[in-house]
Amino acid sequence: MNQVNADDDHYHAAHHNDAVSLSDEIPLVQYEFLDEPPVTVHDLGTDPFLGLQDEEPDSWTPTVTKEIIKKMKEKEIKRQEHLYEFILTEKHHCLTLKVMQKVFVEGLKKYLQLGLTVERMFPRLVELTSIHLGFLHELRVRQREAPVIEKVGDILLEQFSGASAVKLKSVYGEFCSNHRNAIDIYKECMQQDGRFAEFVKHCQLKMLLAVTAKKKKSATRVWGKNMPVEIAQKRMMVKITDLT
């Protein structure tokens, strides 16, 4: 009798070990998006003139000659640095929006067929992206007219007044007012939809756009491990606060 029990225990233990090995080696579900290659800045489909794909210095001074610097007062140098940083910040914001649209939004629609859910999480994202790409284009035109920028006040006035301001407030207002609802939808999908959670994890680990800075020789992730909805809306709220 003891021999029979020992044999049974050996049988069950062996099959238990087989089951563990099988589950460890073979994923229970194979997702199509896992085979997608990493997304780079060149996959975003933006106008090269905007410079989203370019590696640029962190400050304005390295972009001009020493002769130009010698002719300028310290106050004007600081002004040019601030203008350069402003344009670079707008560039990075455009990158954030394009990455969300290309990697996250288009991916969820393509692989998980979550069209309406995605629209509720990112209302009017396409319009927001278009607005900021247009703004960046105007700034780039001015930046490339001469090494030293004379003014950007006219560009800012055009962007934040009249019909442009009305559209900006409308789009930002809808996007940001849905912040809490978007967060709730995201959390619900993460908890209840295994495909969604796996897709987000995959984006964070393998499909994120990395912008490499030559000077620092390091990669800065556009939305890292944080939720893209929250990052975009926080940045947008900061911009609105600064303008009011």
Side-chain angles (χ1 to χ4, degrees):
M1 183 67 177
N2 291 336
Q3 180 63 38
V4 173
N5 290 337
D7 290 342
D8 287 344
D9 291 341
H10 176 74
Y11 173 83
H12 289 301
H15 279 69
H16 174 72
N17 290 335
D18 288 344
V20 172
S21 299
L22 182 62
S23 62
D24 288 343
E25 295 175 1
I26 303 175
L28 295 178
V29 179
Q30 290 289 344
Y31 297 110
E32 184 181 356
F33 55 77
L34 295 176
D35 296 326
E36 284 289 321
V39 172
T40 70
V41 68
H42 300 287
D43 299 318
L44 298 181
T46 57
D47 183 355
F49 181 79
L50 299 177
L52 298 189
Q53 75 284 355
D54 296 338
E55 296 177 359
E56 300 178 88
D58 294 332
S59 61
W60 172 76
T61 306
T63 68
V64 294
T65 64
K66 293 181 179 180
E67 287 71 21
I68 292 178
I69 298 294
K70 290 179 181 179
K71 297 178 182 178
M72 300 175 65
K73 295 181 179 180
E74 185 66 25
K75 183 178 180 180
E76 180 58 27
I77 293 176
K78 288 184 178 180
R79 177 175 176 272
Q80 292 300 317
E81 291 286 5
H82 289 315
L83 290 172
Y84 182 86
E85 183 181 358
F86 178 77
I87 296 173
L88 213 58
T89 299
E90 186 64 22
K91 167 190 172 179
H92 291 155
H93 187 60
C94 288
L95 276 172
T96 300
L97 295 174
K98 287 299 294 183
V99 168
M100 282 196 302
Q101 186 175 336
K102 179 69 177 180
V103 177
F104 199 74
V105 174
E106 292 184 12
L108 288 175
K109 289 181 177 180
K110 178 180 179 181
Y111 297 112
L112 275 66
Q113 291 76 50
L114 297 179
L116 293 178
T117 300
V118 172
E119 293 299 328
R120 291 170 62 198
M121 282 195 290
F122 297 96
R124 305 181 74 172
L125 177 61
V126 174
E127 291 177 83
L128 279 174
T129 304
S130 177
I131 288 173
H132 280 281
L133 290 177
F135 184 42
L136 179 60
H137 183 274
E138 294 302 315
L139 292 172
R140 287 298 198 189
V141 169
R142 184 62 51 84
Q143 184 182 41
R144 291 169 184 174
E145 287 178 350
V148 178
I149 297 177
E150 292 295 328
K151 62 178 182 177
V152 294
D154 56 327
I155 298 176
L156 297 177
L157 187 63
E158 177 67 25
Q159 180 74 3
F160 301 114
S161 64
S164 296
V166 172
K167 182 176 182 180
L168 196 64
K169 290 179 181 179
S170 173
V171 177
Y172 266 122
E174 184 173 343
F175 190 96
C176 295
S177 65
N178 279 280
H179 173 74
R180 176 48 54 192
N181 185 45
I183 299 298
D184 290 341
I185 294 172
Y186 175 88
K187 290 180 178 179
E188 181 180 349
C189 289
M190 286 291 288
Q191 294 173 357
Q192 299 182 7
D193 191 337
R195 301 173 307 155
F196 185 92
E198 190 64 32
F199 178 81
V200 172
K201 178 182 177 181
H202 178 66
C203 288
Q204 291 171 346
L205 295 178
K206 295 183 179 180
M207 295 182 68
L208 287 178
L209 175 71
V211 181
T212 304
K214 286 183 179 180
K215 184 176 181 181
K216 295 182 179 180
K217 295 183 179 180
S218 62
T220 302
R221 294 197 181 281
V222 175
W223 40 273
K225 293 184 178 180
N226 296 313
M227 187 177 66
V229 182
E230 192 163 6
I231 283 187
Q233 291 181 333
K234 281 183 178 179
R235 288 186 179 181
M236 291 172 184
M237 289 302 293
V238 169
K239 284 178 176 287
I240 291 177
T241 302
D242 290 341
L243 296 173
T244 56

